[in-house]
Amino acid sequence: MLFFEIHLEISHFLTNFAQKMAFEQVIGQREVQQRLMRMVDEERLPHAIMLTGPQGAGKLALAIGFAKVLLSQGGETSMFGEPVESPMLRKLEHPDLHFTYPTIKLPSMSADHKPVSDDFAHEWHELVMAGPYFTMNEWLELMGGENQQAIITAGESDELVRKLSLKSSQGGYKVSIVWLPERMNQECANKILKLLEEPPSQTVFLMVCNEPEKLLETIRSRVQRVDVKKIDTEDIRQALMEKRGLTEDEAKRISRMANGSWLKALEMLSADSENELFLDMFQTLMRLSYQRKVKDLKTWSERMASLGREKQKRFLDYFLRLVRENFMYNFKQEDLCYMTQREEDFAKNFARFINEANVLPIYDLINKAIRDIGQNANAKIVFYDMALQMIVLLIQK
């Protein structure tokens, strides 16, 4: 009896250890990890799961960790029969693990070629092995197409059908991780829908989605949605100290400003020059609008138009954040403000111009610009119109 109890205790320890190793790159999110593991333990694993939530919450890290758990089933085992992560899984080179992600068309590709994930497999592997927390901009830069709109083409869905029709090489699950399925074009989405309606045997789809509302309703209805919330500030603080060697004070300040996003925490650590540029562009726009320098605003809009569309959208997101922070600062709610020192220095004089009379119209204006840029409108016109309207909005009290 004693030997049996010791065996169970060791077996339980090894199971927990294997799961911890699978999710070792996930920051926090223990509740989601437990929910995913219950699906396996209770033998009610759906054929398609959609992890959705804010950027930087760790959805891709969770998907990769869960894929490792699933692909360890039926694979190598310890002396107690517990799954052990194989070298292939550690290197993300398991033959039953398939990644799908947005791609671009390079000048070297033929006119009739539909780009597929395999065209950029080396770049993807390099990026994801460096860590499962990264942005679309980082991915575009690695592909060599920062000014392009990355999509998932119909050619990709054809490739996925072909790959998943093959038998599992290990006799267990086949796992398809789809990063940003909302970027599928219409033809691809229709083909993926059919694949979800008639899934290949022992196949699990893990969709990592930022904007589920952009997916076909019929696709959303065929996946089990798992909402991933922002990371707890305490988990980010602990990770900054353990993984990045920060002092407690440094980790506390950055974790608070990260607002639940590990990506944001990493961005602040690297002192990203892009955010410095965005702050400069924001300050310039506000000063020129206040001074009503129409000619200079035209020059400003032309400079914005010279940036790639992805970068333009990131600037507009940054713009919305600073409007929100300045609004809170104006109402003496410093505890609810999340700004860098440079941003706060500017807010000391500027925040009074963001008030209850104009904050919502400004939000509407910027969201309209985000929509227009996303629909490939002329960027010069979009930003010049936005700049001219800011002249009127800043004088509202």
Side-chain angles (χ1 to χ4, degrees):
M1 178 66 73
L2 180 61
F3 174 79
F4 179 71
E5 289 176 354
I6 293 174
H7 180 279
L8 282 180
E9 205 168 302
I10 295 175
S11 177
H12 181 67
F13 168 79
L14 288 173
T15 299
N16 288 339
F17 181 74
Q19 292 174 11
K20 185 176 180 180
M21 290 299 293
F23 290 108
E24 64 180 339
Q25 290 188 294
V26 179
I27 309 299
Q29 304 298 1
R30 283 173 288 276
E31 186 179 329
V32 178
Q33 293 179 42
Q34 290 166 5
R35 179 178 175 184
L36 293 171
M37 292 309 304
R38 280 197 301 272
M39 295 178 183
V40 177
D41 296 339
E42 297 172 5
E43 298 183 351
R44 52 180 184 83
L45 182 67
H47 72 275
I49 297 171
M50 181 173 71
L51 296 163
T52 184
Q55 272 196 328
K59 301 183 294 297
L60 181 59
L62 284 163
I64 291 174
F66 193 46
K68 287 181 177 182
V69 170
L70 296 177
L71 293 172
S72 294
Q73 307 290 317
E76 297 180 37
T77 58
S78 69
M79 62 182 291
F80 294 99
E82 301 304 329
V84 175
E85 185 177 299
S86 69
M88 288 188 300
L89 272 179
R90 280 195 293 274
K91 296 178 182 178
L92 299 181
E93 293 174 345
H94 196 288
D96 296 321
L97 175 62
H98 306 285
F99 285 102
T100 292
Y101 35 84
T103 57
I104 60 171
K105 189 155 188 173
L106 297 175
S108 58
M109 295 175 177
S110 63
D112 59 346
H113 178 71
K114 296 177 180 178
V116 295
S117 296
D118 283 351
D119 293 330
F120 300 92
H122 175 75
E123 291 84 354
W124 175 263
H125 189 259
E126 177 187 336
L127 185 62
V128 81
M129 284 301 292
Y133 293 82
F134 51 84
T135 64
M136 172 55 73
N137 182 52
E138 291 175 89
W139 176 227
L140 282 169
E141 286 181 357
L142 202 55
M143 286 192 291
E146 189 179 2
N147 293 328
Q148 293 194 47
Q149 292 268 37
I151 64 169
I152 303 177
T153 69
E156 180 64 35
S157 55
D158 293 336
E159 273 293 290
L160 202 52
V161 169
R162 182 187 65 78
K163 290 176 182 177
L164 297 179
S165 65
L166 302 174
K167 287 186 177 180
S168 165
S169 66
Q170 307 293 309
Y173 287 109
K174 293 171 289 183
V175 179
S176 172
I177 296 179
V178 184
W179 185 58
L180 305 186
E182 61 267 38
R183 286 183 176 251
M184 293 187 292
N185 64 18
Q186 189 67 37
E187 187 179 359
C188 177
N190 289 331
K191 289 183 177 181
I192 292 292
L193 173 60
K194 188 173 182 182
L195 198 57
L196 292 174
E197 290 173 338
E198 300 174 9
S201 175
Q202 288 186 289
T203 297
V204 177
F205 292 92
L206 301 177
M207 294 188 171
V208 177
C209 187
N210 287 342
E211 302 173 287
E213 67 279 0
K214 291 185 178 180
L215 279 172
L216 293 176
E217 171 58 34
T218 43
I219 289 181
R220 296 203 303 268
S221 67
R222 282 166 176 77
V223 301
Q224 182 162 326
R225 176 169 171 159
V226 175
D227 288 304
V228 181
K229 299 176 182 178
K230 292 180 179 180
I231 307 171
D232 287 345
T233 300
E234 176 59 21
D235 288 326
I236 293 179
R237 188 184 70 83
Q238 288 285 348
L240 287 170
M241 291 190 293
E242 294 170 8
K243 296 178 181 290
R244 300 288 165 161
L246 269 65
T247 65
E248 187 169 348
D249 286 344
E250 290 172 330
K252 184 176 181 181
R253 179 179 61 84
I254 290 179
S255 63
R256 184 174 176 275
M257 288 182 60
N259 193 26
S261 169
W262 183 245
L263 278 176
K264 183 66 177 175
L266 294 179
E267 178 185 296
M268 287 185 285
L269 277 180
S270 63
D272 192 355
S273 60
E274 184 177 84
N275 269 11
E276 293 296 305
L277 168 66
F278 288 169
L279 177 57
D280 289 340
M281 296 296 284
F282 180 85
Q283 291 175 337
T284 301
L285 172 61
M286 294 307 173
R287 285 170 177 152
L288 294 177
S289 297
Y290 179 73
Q291 295 166 359
R292 304 186 185 187
K293 293 187 175 180
V294 175
K295 186 177 179 180
D296 290 336
L297 285 172
K298 187 173 186 295
T299 302
W300 179 90
S301 65
E302 289 170 350
R303 186 183 175 195
M304 281 302 309
S306 69
L307 305 177
R309 288 194 181 272
E310 293 295 333
K311 199 170 211 176
Q312 290 165 2
K313 287 191 284 187
R314 291 196 302 277
F315 168 74
L316 292 170
D317 286 336
Y318 176 86
F319 192 113
L320 285 176
R321 183 180 74 80
L322 274 201
V323 168
R324 183 261 180 202
E325 302 303 340
N326 277 273
F327 182 69
M328 300 305 293
Y329 195 91
N330 187 23
F331 282 86
K332 313 302 180 186
Q333 299 294 322
E334 287 89 347
D335 289 344
L336 299 178
C337 294
Y338 303 90
M339 291 186 283
T340 65
Q341 191 61 56
R342 270 199 71 202
E343 290 168 350
E344 186 173 345
D345 289 343
F346 181 68
K348 289 174 183 176
N349 294 318
F350 172 73
R352 59 196 171 94
F353 293 99
I354 305 298
N355 52 63
E356 64 271 27
N358 63 14
V359 65
L360 291 180
I362 290 175
Y363 257 71
D364 290 341
L365 176 63
I366 305 310
N367 280 314
K368 179 179 179 295
I370 292 173
R371 183 199 67 197
D372 292 343
I373 292 297
Q375 294 176 351
N376 293 323
N378 186 305
K380 286 184 183 179
I381 296 175
V382 171
F383 284 107
Y384 191 41
D385 177 67
M386 184 183 98
L388 293 178
Q389 292 194 54
M390 283 304 304
I391 294 175
V392 177
L393 290 172
L394 283 183
I395 63 174
Q396 293 185 12
K397 294 182 180 180

